[in-house]
Amino acid sequence: MAKITAAITAVGKYVPDYILTNQELETMVETNDEWITSRTGIKERRILKEEGEGTSYLAIKAAEDLITRNNINPKEIDLVIVATATPDMLVASTAVYTATKIGAVNAFAYDLQAACSSFLYGMSTASSYIESGRYKKVLLIGADKMSSIIDYTDRATCIIFGDGAGAALFEPNEEGLGFQDEYLRSDGIGREFLKIDAGGSILPTSEDTIKNRQHYVHQEGRTVFKFAVSNMADVSEKILERNNLTKETVNWLVPHQANKRIIEATANRIGLAEEKVMMNIHRYGNTTSATLPLLLADYEKELKKGDNLIFAAFGGGFTWGAIYLKWAYNK
Ligand code: UT7
């Protein structure tokens, strides 16, 4: 019997309608379009404005896009994983609510949190379930309502992040396509440099934590930048070497969209031509867990069966890694 690999067989996406431009940010904090564009590559990001809606709203819409465009019967889905750093609420799982809302009534569901690497790690989890033969349809959704944890008076963070969601369906493949290899890393040294101080078990919410604005993302950008540049490039190089891939045989780099300069540094290290690098950071900013599946959805029509894709991400924690996957279909 042929070895079962885990292939992505469908993708979907959702971004909210509201566009927060660099020009609008200029009216909110001391910044300018030229600085944001040259330092990050971001021109605009989407913001979920619907009152009382959280990350599940984005996740549900991305999943529904995948389901309707590909005629998937949600009752056949075995497992729904929502990769997110901004769950709807503490304790009650965002994935469970999402699964129920999309009609995945026979699935079980849970959230996976690894900051900006959540979707990358989720790809490893989803693929393992498929490769083991345990499940046949695993829906992995990357979704984040970053606007819910961003301080819009802090110019160091508010210019970077946006809201969005993307989804990918993993199914068994007997042609050797899909997931090939992974190199995943983490290092707790990163905790001090990218975090939300309060609202967790170390520092529960109190009047003081609210007064001190400790429920927002705090990032030491320059330090995170340095780690991101070297680590994302390292793992990408490593996964190429390990799989005897070259800049000629790699078809696409699918990099986490945190900063255009980090993406370019990774591409340069492996010598990849610009046209092989997926990029949509100018339109959405950093959507955390949603960047990788949003890229897949935006580039889906250009992808060919058998293409070699290298996914790479770096995020809070620190968490980072690279995954090598062969694309499994033509659209
Ligand atoms: O996805 C999760 C992982 N996160 C990342 O990968 C993010 C990594 N970090 C970055 O992308 C970059 O560090 C940032 C985009 C966050 C910042 O860019 P930078 O080139 O590292 O800038 P910086 O923080 O070193 O600041 C340079 C200067 C500072 O002024 P002085 O001290 O040189 O006078 C800042 O105060 O730019 C100033 N600055 C700004 N100026 C205009 C910081 N933010 C802004 C702003 N507009 N929004």
Side-chain angles (χ1 to χ4, degrees):
M1 217 177 81
K3 184 175 176 279
I4 295 170
T5 49
I8 292 179
T9 56
V11 295
K13 71 174 255 199
Y14 176 74
V15 290
D17 294 333
Y18 189 86
I19 298 174
L20 175 58
T21 62
N22 289 352
Q23 286 69 30
E24 187 176 351
L25 281 165
E26 285 176 4
T27 69
M28 297 159 65
V29 289
E30 185 69 41
T31 191
N32 58 77
D33 175 51
E34 201 282 317
W35 192 96
I36 302 173
T37 308
S38 62
R39 297 288 177 124
T40 69
I42 302 167
K43 283 289 190 189
E44 56 190 45
R45 53 305 277 142
R46 301 300 180 105
I47 305 294
L48 179 62
K49 293 276 190 183
E50 271 76 0
E51 199 65 32
E53 297 290 357
T55 292
S56 63
Y57 181 89
L58 305 166
I60 290 163
K61 288 214 180 279
E64 284 173 348
D65 178 49
L66 182 153
I67 286 167
T68 50
R69 285 195 305 110
N70 296 280
N71 278 321
I72 307 289
N73 179 356
K75 293 193 176 123
E76 289 176 4
I77 297 171
D78 301 301
L79 164 62
V80 177
I81 301 171
V82 172
T84 186
T86 53
D88 280 0
M89 48 180 82
L90 292 176
V91 183
S93 162
T94 305
V96 170
Y97 183 74
T98 300
T100 298
K101 283 289 179 186
I102 63 171
V105 289
N106 296 311
F108 73 107
Y110 58 86
D111 295 348
L112 192 156
Q113 211 284 52
C116 288
S117 304
S118 299
F119 192 84
L120 189 85
Y121 284 13
M123 289 176 69
S124 170
T125 309
S127 298
S128 303
Y129 278 123
I130 299 290
E131 286 162 359
S132 70
R134 193 175 295 184
Y135 302 114
K136 297 272 185 288
K137 279 186 167 54
V138 178
L139 182 63
L140 174 64
I141 306 167
D144 268 305
K145 184 184 169 185
M146 293 305 292
S147 61
S148 65
I149 53 169
I150 294 301
D151 180 354
Y152 285 94
T153 66
D154 175 13
R155 69 175 183 175
T157 50
C158 74
I159 56 123
I160 300 169
F161 294 97
D163 303 339
L169 186 67
F170 286 75
E171 292 187 90
N173 183 284
E174 293 193 1
E175 297 176 89
L177 300 169
F179 193 98
Q180 305 292 315
D181 193 18
E182 69 182 17
Y183 186 62
L184 305 180
R185 313 294 307 141
S186 63
D187 188 343
I189 191 183
R191 176 150 110 165
E192 289 313 306
F193 306 116
L194 178 47
K195 60 178 175 177
I196 296 177
D197 278 311
S201 54
I202 293 180
L203 189 58
T205 307
S206 69
E207 277 180 40
D208 277 347
T209 63
I210 293 168
K211 209 168 61 214
N212 297 333
R213 306 181 82 77
Q214 287 172 294
H215 295 273
Y216 295 120
V217 169
H218 169 81
Q219 174 172 248
E220 285 185 31
R222 212 173 296 189
T223 309
V224 178
F225 184 88
K226 278 189 206 143
F227 277 96
V229 164
S230 62
N231 286 322
M232 241 170 85
D234 281 353
V235 289
S236 303
E237 197 171 42
K238 180 126 187 158
I239 206 118
L240 256 66
E241 271 171 24
R242 221 155 72 169
N243 292 280
N244 297 317
L245 291 164
T246 64
K247 59 182 195 270
E248 285 80 26
T249 55
V250 169
N251 299 96
W252 293 100
L253 176 67
V254 193
H256 173 52
Q257 308 283 294
N259 187 314
K260 191 167 183 250
R261 290 182 291 146
I262 300 173
I263 298 166
E264 285 169 349
T266 304
N268 286 340
R269 173 84 82 83
I270 55 176
L272 213 60
E274 202 182 325
E275 59 270 19
K276 291 184 168 185
V277 182
M278 291 190 190
M279 190 105 71
N280 57 16
I281 189 168
H282 51 291
R283 291 161 62 203
Y284 309 137
N286 182 349
T287 55
T288 303
S289 312
T291 59
L292 301 182
L294 278 174
L295 285 171
L296 292 180
D298 283 354
Y299 282 83
E300 186 185 24
K301 287 197 177 69
E302 292 181 49
L303 296 172
K304 303 263 172 309
K305 187 173 173 179
D307 275 358
N308 291 319
L309 274 58
I310 302 297
F311 294 77
F314 183 89
F318 294 129
T319 55
W320 73 100
I323 283 177
Y324 166 33
L325 177 138
K326 274 185 178 293
W327 197 246
Y329 64 92
N330 298 315
K331 199 71 184 172

